[in-house]
Amino acid sequence: DTAVSQTPKYLVTQMGNDKSIKCEQNLGHDTMYWYKQDSKKFLKIMFSYNNKELIINETVPNRFSPKSPDKAHLNLHINSLELGDSAVYFCASSPRGGNQPQHFGDGTRLSIL
Amino acid sequence: SQKIEQNSEALNIQEGKTATLTCNYTNYSPAYLQWYRQDPGRGPVFLLLIRENEKEKRKERLKVTFDTTLKQSLFHITASQPADSATYLCALDLGGNNRLAFGKGNQVVVIP
């Protein structure tokens, strides 16, 4: 049973388009995250939600908008895609609070043409 | 500026030996540190967490140390096996809301 699942796994699209990535977790966790892993392999936090409430919002262009319809889902919508948005986007979840291990999905590889 | 440094060169090691990876950091004061494993095309998988007041943590063949004076964590894989071949990431607590800063990772290749 997949714990954190993301769709789609691959996304190839043209510059200027708008796209969404979906994430669902079945671990019963309260907290969910979006990370970006660029071509240099650095994994950077973008957003975090705790029970549908935004708690981390790093310096990310406002073309990126997360949405959490319930605590098991966290989607990422990206407007006006740019070449620099090409990366692998990972969703993760954890129990509430600090000192918690994070459970990652297998990523969505976004390629902008 | 804040930095998390892991060796960019892959560590090639003979099966059965101990692999040791280093994570150095500057301008951070993490209350805890985590280690993850990442395989190609997959998401990171949590391995171990060590708190600032703990010197050492073990889990099966894995051992992690945390020296807040040296600002360094060491990650050991004893009796390494080819299945241990992967990239290992250290992640530092940024304080509050379970925010983590990840290192770039260090690849390990275990040669049969």
Side-chain angles (χ1 to χ4, degrees):
Chain A
D1 235 5
T2 307
V4 180
S5 59
Q6 300 178 224
T7 53
K9 191 168 173 67
Y10 298 97
L11 190 49
V12 182
T13 190
Q14 302 273 3
M15 210 163 52
N17 283 351
D18 302 338
K19 289 292 177 187
S20 292
I21 308 172
K22 294 187 175 183
C23 179
E24 176 181 1
Q25 55 97 2
N26 63 4
L27 296 167
H29 289 159
D30 284 322
T31 309
M32 295 185 73
Y33 312 80
W34 277 111
Y35 285 86
K36 178 180 180 180
Q37 189 169 44
D38 60 24
S39 56
K40 294 181 181 176
K41 302 300 182 187
F42 277 111
L43 192 62
K44 289 187 182 171
I45 182 73
M46 300 172 69
F47 303 103
S48 175
Y49 272 72
N50 198 33
N51 201 9
K52 301 193 295 177
E53 179 189 349
L54 181 66
I55 56 170
I56 297 174
N57 186 353
E58 294 294 302
T59 309
V60 175
N62 57 15
R63 298 182 296 103
F64 290 79
S65 51
K67 201 158 279 188
S68 181
D70 55 61
K71 75 173 196 177
H73 295 85
L74 180 61
N75 303 323
L76 183 65
H77 188 77
I78 316 171
N79 287 328
S80 304
L81 281 157
E82 299 178 357
L83 288 175
D85 298 333
S86 294
V88 183
Y89 293 85
F90 287 99
C91 176
S93 72
S94 75
R96 182 191 296 257
N99 288 357
Q100 300 290 350
Q102 296 184 16
H103 298 252
F104 285 79
D106 281 335
T108 295
R109 183 173 295 277
L110 175 62
S111 299
I112 310 300
L113 303 177
Chain B
S1 62
Q2 294 178 316
K3 276 187 196 172
I4 303 171
E5 291 177 321
Q6 295 187 255
N7 199 338
S8 56
E9 284 187 26
L11 176 65
N12 294 313
I13 190 158
Q14 208 68 38
E15 183 176 2
K17 301 289 187 187
T18 296
T20 299
L21 306 180
T22 305
C23 176
N24 293 307
Y25 59 91
T26 52
N27 295 322
Y28 285 104
S29 297
Y32 59 92
L33 190 149
Q34 300 183 19
W35 282 88
Y36 288 78
R37 168 187 173 137
Q38 188 172 20
D39 291 283
R42 306 297 300 271
V45 174
F46 171 77
L47 296 174
L48 280 164
L49 181 153
I50 186 166
R51 293 178 175 79
E52 60 181 339
N53 59 353
E54 296 174 316
K55 293 290 184 197
E56 181 180 298
K57 204 78 170 280
R58 289 175 186 259
K59 179 183 171 184
E60 297 170 355
R61 294 183 295 107
L62 307 179
K63 184 178 89 171
V64 170
T65 62
F66 190 9
D67 188 326
T68 55
T69 303
L70 289 178
K71 295 187 180 296
Q72 180 180 81
S73 174
L74 298 179
F75 177 82
H76 306 271
I77 308 172
T78 58
S80 58
Q81 302 168 359
D84 296 326
S85 298
T87 296
Y88 292 86
L89 307 166
C90 70
L92 272 58
D93 152 56
L94 293 179
N97 295 324
N98 211 28
R99 287 174 68 225
L100 295 176
F102 280 83
K104 200 169 157 180
N106 196 177
Q107 186 183 8
V108 171
V109 178
V110 181
I111 303 159

